[in-house]
Amino acid sequence: MAAEATVPRHVGVYGGGRMGAGIAHAFVAAGAAVTVVESDADAAEGARDRVIRSLRRAEARGTLSEPLSAAVDRLEVTTEPDAFAEAGLVIEAVPELAGLKRELLAKTEAIAPDAVLATNTSSLSVNGLAEGLRRPERFLGLHFFNPVPASSLVEIVVGARTDSALVTRAKGWVEALGKSAIVVTDSPGFASSRLGVALALEAMRMLEEGVAGAEDIDTAMTLGYKHPMGPLRTTDVVGLDVRLAIAEHLASELGERFEPPAVLRDKVAAGELGRKTGRGFYDWDS
């Protein structure tokens, strides 16, 4: 059965950081009403500002199909999870902490028992996050990529109990967002994070060993293999702390080949997290 390329009328997003705001932008721009829930008033204000700034940039580029005011009218940002009650789809986009994600997913299921639940995790087990859900057949992974508005890929991660009809619906949602979907079975790192982190970790080892500088290593991949961005610069954009957490998880699941190099641990310990802090493998302030 072909996927119907429409988004749910009302979409909830748990977490309004960089990824959550990007996901909210994507669904608002596709015509959905979107509710973003944040932990407190300051975080909610920051989330609203992020989404509106992102939509304003899209309007300036001519990629927003309606006036900015019309899109913003469909955006709600709140601290009250009860606002998810009428949502057809709720996506959690909170930090990569399994306990936190499970807690918020269970809370959302109680508030919106008829909604489809999804996680934007980049590496945690969808089956593990489904533990405690009363309806795991209505749960799957929707792994968006940063920056969400510009990225063309969404990784649909299928859990052991995910309904096959839901996967078809999810393909339609992704198509309606103007993006392409790949479907993967739940496994450590899925397809994208597992391959992306493997490449990035080897690039870090090469940097540690003095094989070449960061820019030359990245240029080898951008010019030699036509990657749009090298693995070290990509790590800066993703966040070194995020990459470290994923690598540690993959090492625990798949073995020492994913063990984080010392340079990654040292930079995270020093607060050099990439673009968001101004310094990682590159100096972003300059």
Side-chain angles (χ1 to χ4, degrees):
M1 181 172 55
E4 183 180 359
T6 58
V7 294
R9 180 185 59 83
H10 183 188
V11 176
V13 181
Y14 224 133
R18 182 186 297 272
M19 290 303 299
I23 293 168
H25 170 144
F27 279 99
V28 165
V34 175
T35 298
V36 178
V37 170
E38 259 294 358
S39 56
D40 57 49
D42 288 344
E45 182 179 354
R48 181 177 176 83
D49 288 346
R50 274 188 287 276
V51 178
I52 292 175
R53 285 200 308 268
S54 182
L55 290 168
R56 187 174 289 120
R57 288 193 294 268
E59 182 184 48
R61 291 192 301 267
T63 58
L64 194 64
S65 62
E66 60 184 339
L68 176 64
S69 59
V72 172
D73 282 347
R74 294 195 304 276
L75 174 67
E76 175 189 18
V77 183
T78 179
T79 60
E80 298 298 328
D82 287 350
F84 289 150
E86 302 300 322
L89 167 67
V90 180
I91 304 168
E92 71 77 11
V94 300
E96 292 285 89
L97 301 170
L100 174 63
K101 288 179 182 288
R102 279 195 292 266
E103 176 187 346
L104 297 184
L105 286 166
K107 180 185 296 186
T108 302
E109 185 180 49
I111 292 167
D114 294 327
V116 171
L117 301 183
T119 174
N120 182 55
T121 183
S122 56
S123 64
L124 297 177
S125 168
V126 167
N127 290 328
L129 295 179
E131 293 175 4
L133 292 179
R134 295 192 300 271
R135 302 183 67 183
E137 70 276 6
R138 296 179 65 83
F139 176 63
L140 79 172
L142 290 177
H143 178 205
F144 289 81
F145 292 78
N146 185 34
V148 177
S151 174
S152 58
L153 178 67
V154 177
E155 192 171 33
I156 298 174
V157 185
V158 182
R161 297 179 63 182
T162 303
D163 190 328
S164 60
L166 176 56
V167 177
T168 300
R169 290 173 64 194
K171 290 178 183 177
W173 300 334
V174 173
E175 183 180 347
L177 295 176
K179 303 182 186 299
S180 298
I182 61 171
V183 178
V184 302
T185 300
D186 183 34
S187 58
F190 317 136
S192 57
S193 293
R194 184 167 171 175
L195 287 171
V197 169
L199 180 61
L201 295 180
E202 189 59 30
M204 294 173 206
R205 294 185 188 104
M206 291 169 64
L207 186 67
E208 283 184 330
E209 294 167 8
V211 173
E215 193 164 344
D216 285 340
I217 291 170
D218 279 351
T219 299
M221 302 311 297
T222 57
L223 297 185
Y225 289 86
K226 304 303 182 185
H227 289 196
M229 189 183 299
L232 297 174
R233 188 174 294 273
T234 298
T235 296
D236 272 12
V237 171
V238 171
L240 275 70
D241 52 337
V242 175
R243 275 276 159 95
L244 175 59
I246 295 171
E248 288 177 332
H249 173 69
L250 292 177
S252 70
E253 295 288 334
L254 298 173
E256 63 181 13
R257 68 186 187 276
F258 286 100
E259 183 62 32
V263 65
L264 177 59
R265 294 191 184 278
D266 291 346
K267 283 184 173 293
V268 171
E272 297 179 7
L273 307 184
R275 185 171 65 179
K276 60 189 173 185
T277 61
R279 181 177 292 276
F281 291 104
Y282 291 84
D283 182 355
W284 293 84
D285 289 335
S286 62

